[in-house]
């Protein structure tokens, strides 16, 4: 919503201040300012001048050499090609080193050998159109006249001479404040903000040109969609341009002036926030107006020349035979004002907000009227707006206003009541205001009182509860005056244990050299084929999106591997030599058609580059588990995990529950994604890690007694994992076992075929005392007994 500061001053005298101070103050009181502009700010050094003498250019048959008077002691010579000038005309003159809209610079120079000290300007060169000054011409120099309200003082800046010096403020108005989509509404906010009086004008119509009540029959047939329809008739209409002051205000508010009748309806809409329409009475069949739902298949040609088909859900203004306007949106082609119009009907009505919104949407049209109606207007505003329009008709001598009015209304007009709970509001805002203080603020906003009952003005539908009243008091008391206090009850914001756990994962992964990515949770079903997922895999059963943007985003992923591979492929194709990426992704596992899917939180990591292999990925997993406190986990080789190399993949588990997968991506999958490098990945169930992590750190004092170390060199089958041997040693070592370290794996000539040598360093220690030989030997026997179960034996 744009606001002309000149227009604002008509209703409230805002104290003189810089625009920044004005906008900051009114923004703090709740009317957010998006910005402001000064009309004519792009124009500089353009003044009013009079053409004193004209003569033909000696070297041109269309140029004129003009001697112009700019109010200085000497005349200024300017060459122009305009053919509409004569001696004595007053025109805009752009002097040497002047600026025009669009950044155009004007400097003195020579035109065909004759010196020219500037340029005489047309409307277009000043950023204006014929609508702003109808008496001017479009293809010639702009000639200023007193009839157009121009100031002809020579040397005066052109902005001041033609009224192009208004300041326009742009407001962001929320949909719950329809009253602020008007000059009066914003003036009321400004008056309350700066605590200055608000002056409202009561329209006065003289009339005296006959009674109109019998000339038109108005009836609302759908009372649920229209609460009031009022009309007045003006005869002997005199269509002509509006005066300059009205054109200036419309232009400042972003509305193009057209003619006096159309301009009046736009002017009232901007001033009162009440859209209006003017019908040509001769096109109203049988002088009947019916506010009804359209019939399916009915058509209307709207003012924009488009043929539109209506439905029975849409409200129309109709005469006895046909629709003549789409209610609250746009009039029909033959309802507009023409040059030969003699009698018009001014309409002021209030339509259902939801109906106007859906009609405008379904018809694919959005107008200034519909944008206001769809926010919910005050039916009590219809009559004042109608009277104001007729007052302007008389003021502009645009016609003869007939007495009386035609009206059909179906609303109570009662004002909403809210109890002024002073104690509650003070407690809510942490203030110590009296009832008189609160009433003084609310009265500035148009509220009245009956004892402690607030009578809310009907133009404020947003005031429904005492919390709304508290907000109004806070706005104009001043948010900056309300003391700051801590939340009661000692509540403090802090991370949950799960949030801390997730943040720790991020920290560890970044420390390990990986970069975080974020991918969409919806993918294409074809992505499952690219990672080699079997056709009968249960993971192919995905949650389908009912209104997808396309096939590529039609299902919710059950595995994050395709998303990760897409990002890795993008990096590889962009010639990044190395990429270590991770994501805390969500996978959606469907349960049943009537319940929401299970959202599985997964850490998925992918690596490619010269130093990326299985053991690097496994080492990252080990570091992650150690830092997160995940203990008692196990790892087993696997050849059944889809997407992974069958001989370079392992499954992680804890207490018999699958924890994740680590391995090298299958070469065929890499080929599907166009990656010509080895890719290793690991995927871990975050929820499972959280459930099996030891997050509480306990203090362990330094050991009091010495440790005993033993080295074990074992011979075992080549296919036995080292992890199996470590588990056997742990089982046999019991409470005395402090640490196991692998320090050698050997296969060679001294070892039988299909065998390998694995060497461990074992640390034994007791918390009770120094270990005896008997304790050490007994523990070693138990360890060897457990190892024998795996087929391992001591290397001789």
């Amino acid at each position: 919503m744009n606001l002309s500061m000149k227009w604002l001053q008509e209703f409230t005298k805002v104290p003189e201040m810089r625009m920044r101070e004005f906008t900051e103050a009114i923004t703090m009181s709740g009317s957010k300012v998006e910005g402001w502009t000064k009309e004519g700010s792009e124009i500089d050094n353009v003044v009013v001048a009079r053409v004193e003498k004209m003569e033909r250019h000696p070297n041109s048959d269309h140029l004129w050499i003009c001697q112009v008077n700019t109010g200085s002691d000497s005349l200024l010579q300017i060459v122009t090609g305009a053919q509409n000038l004569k001696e004595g005309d007053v025109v805009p003159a752009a002097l040497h080193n002047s600026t025009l809209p669009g950044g155009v610079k004007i400097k003195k120079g020579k035109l065909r050998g004759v010196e020219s000290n500037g340029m005489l300007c047309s409307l277009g060169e000043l950023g204006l159109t014929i609508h702003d000054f109808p008496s001017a011409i479009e293809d010639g120099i702009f000639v200023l006249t007193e009839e157009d309200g121009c100031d002809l003082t020579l040397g005066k800046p052109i902005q001041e001479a033609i009224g192009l010096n208004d300041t326009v403020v742009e407001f962001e108005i929320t949909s719950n404040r329809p009253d602020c989509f008007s000059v009066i509404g914003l003036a009321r906010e400004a008056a309350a903000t700066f605590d200055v009086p608000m002056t409202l004008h009561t329209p006065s119509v003289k009339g005296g040109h006959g009674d109109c009540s019998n000339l038109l029959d108005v009836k609302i047939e759908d009372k649920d969609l229209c609460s009031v329809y009022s009309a007045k008739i003006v005869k002997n209409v005199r269509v002509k341009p509006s005066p300059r002051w009205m054109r200036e205000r419309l232009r400042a508010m972003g509305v193009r002036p057209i003619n006096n009748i159309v301009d009046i309806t736009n002017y009232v809409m901007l001033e009162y926030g009440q859209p209006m329409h003017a019908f040509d009475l001769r096109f109203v069949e049988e002088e009947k107006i019916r506010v009804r739902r359209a019939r399916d298949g009915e058509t209307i040609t709207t003012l924009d020349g488009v043929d539109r088909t209506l439905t029975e859900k849409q409200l129309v203004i109709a005469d006895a035979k046909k629709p003549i306007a789409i209610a609250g949106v746009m009039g029909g082609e033959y309802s507009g004002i023409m040059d030969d119009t003699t009698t018009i009907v001014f309409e002021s009505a209030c339509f259902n907000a939801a109906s106007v919104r859906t009609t405008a949407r379904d018809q694919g049209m959005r107008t200034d009227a519909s944008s206001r109606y769809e926010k919910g207007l005050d039916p009590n505003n219809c009559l004042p707006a109608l009277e104001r329009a007729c007052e302007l008709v008389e003021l502009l001598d645009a016609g003869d206003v007939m007495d009386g009015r035609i009206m059909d209304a179906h609303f109570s007009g009662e004002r909403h009541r809210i109890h002024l709970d002073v104690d509650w509001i003070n407690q809510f805002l942490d203030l110590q205001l009296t009832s008189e203080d609160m009433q003084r603020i609310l009265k500035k906003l148009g509220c009245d009182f009956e004892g402690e009952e607030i009578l809310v003005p009907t133009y404020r539908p947003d005031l429904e509860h005492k919390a709304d009243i508290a907000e109004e008091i806070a706005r104009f008391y001043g948010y900056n005056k309300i003391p700051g206090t801590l939340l009661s009850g000692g509540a403090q914001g802090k991370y949950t244990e799960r949030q801390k756990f997730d943040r720790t994962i991020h920290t560890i992964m970044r420390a390990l050299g990986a970069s975080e990515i974020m991918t969409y949770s919806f993918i294409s079903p074809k992505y499952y084929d690219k990672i080699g997922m079997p056709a009968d895999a249960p993971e192919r059963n995905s949650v389908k999106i009912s209104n997808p943007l396309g096939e590529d985003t039609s299902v919710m992923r059950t595995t994050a591997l395709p998303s990760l591979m897409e990002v890795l492929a993008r990096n590889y194709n962009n010639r990044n030599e190395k990429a270590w990426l991770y994501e805390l992704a969500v996978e959606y596992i469907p349960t049943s058609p009537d319940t929401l899917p299970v959202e599985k939180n997964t850490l998925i990591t992918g690596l490619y580059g010269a130093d990326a292999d299985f053991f690097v990925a496994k080492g990252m997993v080990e570091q992650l588990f150690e830092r997160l406190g995940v203990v008692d986990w196990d790892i087993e080789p696997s050849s059944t995990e889809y997407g992974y190399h069958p001989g370079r993949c392992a499954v992680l588990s804890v207490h018999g529950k699958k924890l994740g997968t680590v391995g090298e991506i299958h070469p065929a999958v890499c080929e599907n994604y166009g990656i010509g490098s080895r890719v290793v990945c690991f995927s871990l169930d975050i929820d499972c890690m959280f459930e099996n992590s030891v997050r509480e750190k306990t203090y362990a004092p330094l050991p009091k007694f010495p440790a005993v170390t033993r080295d074990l060199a074992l011979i075992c089958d080549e296919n036995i994992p080292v992890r199996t041997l470590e588990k056997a040693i742990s089982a046999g070592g019991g409470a005395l076992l402090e640490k196991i370290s692998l320090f050698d794996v050997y296969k060679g000539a001294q070892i039988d075929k299909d065998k390998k040598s694995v060497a461990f360093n074992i640390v034994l220690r007791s918390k009770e005392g120094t270990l005896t030989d008997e304790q050490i030997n007994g523990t070693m026997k138990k360890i060897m007994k457990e190892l024998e179960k795996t087929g391992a034996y001591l290397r001789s």
Side-chain angles (χ1 to χ4, degrees), residues 594-606:
D594 299 328
T595 58
L596 293 173
V598 174
E599 297 185 17
K600 179 184 175 185
N601 297 288
T602 300
L603 167 63
I604 187 161
T605 304

Side-chain angles (χ1 to χ4, degrees), residues 668-686:
V669 175
C670 292
E671 185 178 348
N672 291 340
Y673 284 94
I675 302 177
S677 174
R678 174 184 295 178
V679 176
V680 291
C681 292
F682 62 84
S683 174
L684 302 174
D685 187 333
I686 299 177

Side-chain angles (χ1 to χ4, degrees), residues 607-619:
L607 325 170
Y608 77 77
D611 52 352
D613 60 20
F614 175 87
F615 296 104
V616 169
K618 179 174 175 288

